[in-house]
Amino acid sequence: MILKKDSTHMMWLILLLLVLTSNFVLYRSSFGVSLLPDNTNGVVLGSIIDLTIVAPVLFLAWKRKLSWKPLIVMMAGGLVAARFMIPVEYLAPFKTITWAGFAIEGALVLLELLLLVTFFKYLPEIIRTVKNSSLPLLFSFSHTVGEKVTKHPIIQVICSEMLMVYYALGMWRKKPQYEANTFTLHKKSSLIAFQVMMIHAIMIETIGIHWWLHEKSLILSIILLVINIYSVILFLGDIQAVRFNPLQMEHDRMYVSLGLMKRMEIRWDDIEEVIEDRDRLEQKLSKNTIDFIARDFEEVYPNIMLKLKRPVEATLLMGVKKEYEQVAIRVDNLEGFKEALRQKVSK
């Protein structure tokens, strides 16, 4: 059954690439142009249909997210793509249709700008609410933004970047406080040491390669410098997010995260089974399993796994959402965590 799903998933991607490639070759290669008839209106109309209807439907089928909202956005994007892919002399009879794509995309950009203005308008109130919340900052910030503004993807990305900068630059004078209902994931691992090593490697690379590349290509050296600075800030923010956001248990759910990379809320009544068997824990994790395991210099395994009654949504880097059916966790205080978990799940 899983193989059948994977093959169908791959089929949608292959069909999508076929549609895009065939249309590109048709207008942007000498071989393709030689195949065009004297009256190209029918062919061009077919290409517009391919780019505005067929390609978006195939893409959404591949992503397994068929819905009207993203379909309309992608149809507008298809009209814009047609404007650039199809030469002007062939597209002339359909110019009005393609301009509709620009109009829709422009309206979407204005809407996103309005969302940004709204977000920054409510930002002081959001910060006040977050400061008074008992939830981990990674969760309380996104919850409050969703209540005050919206859960639009662009807002999620901005929130993710703000959290990264805040943890990287604003938390160094503070010390993490761990309560009785919290459990750390990183103390018995080399995760932070590994990330510090990566920061040192990036800084050495920046000093060495940047100056060498500066003489060859100024633009490439600047791009590399910006990427490396961003990477250092990301690693610094991730280190602090790991330290300040242990797994936290509340009366109806637990909040588990591993730095800025992933976080998840799990309600106690969503847990079907608590897996403690070592043989099962040391098996290769399936695709529908998210792991909260602090990586080490040697291979490590979860020391507990939760099988869920239904797929539960997790938030990944940049606010990306994905659903999982199992959660693999490696905590430092395993016995204390097991005891607290039994009390919560048995209620």
Side-chain angles (χ1 to χ4, degrees), residues 16-77:
L16 173 63
L17 293 175
L18 253 169
V19 169
L20 296 176
T21 304
S22 60
N23 278 281
F24 182 83
V25 170
L26 184 62
Y27 299 104
R28 296 296 172 177
S29 70
S30 55
F31 172 72
V33 171
S34 68
L35 297 176
L36 292 173
D38 293 333
N39 186 353
T40 60
N41 288 355
V43 177
V44 171
L45 182 60
S47 294
I48 291 173
I49 292 171
D50 278 348
L51 295 172
T52 57
I53 298 175
V54 178
V57 168
L58 290 174
F59 178 81
L60 293 174
W62 173 57
K63 297 295 285 185
R64 297 169 182 167
K65 291 183 178 179
L66 282 171
S67 60
W68 284 106
K69 196 173 181 180
L71 179 61
I72 292 170
V73 173
M74 293 197 68
M75 287 175 69

Side-chain angles (χ1 to χ4, degrees), residues 141 155-167 230 233-234 260 317-319:
F141 187 66
I155 299 296
Q156 292 175 353
V157 170
I158 290 172
C159 289
S160 177
E161 297 300 288
M162 288 178 70
L163 285 170
M164 178 187 72
V165 173
Y166 174 72
Y167 276 112
Y230 179 87
I233 293 173
L234 176 60
L260 300 169
L317 189 63
M318 296 287 184

Side-chain angles (χ1 to χ4, degrees), residues 295-314:
R295 297 301 175 192
D296 216 320
F297 290 114
E298 59 185 26
E299 188 173 10
V300 290
Y301 300 98
N303 46 30
I304 203 159
M305 188 180 294
L306 306 177
K307 184 179 179 182
L308 307 174
K309 296 175 182 176
R310 59 180 180 82
V312 174
E313 189 176 78

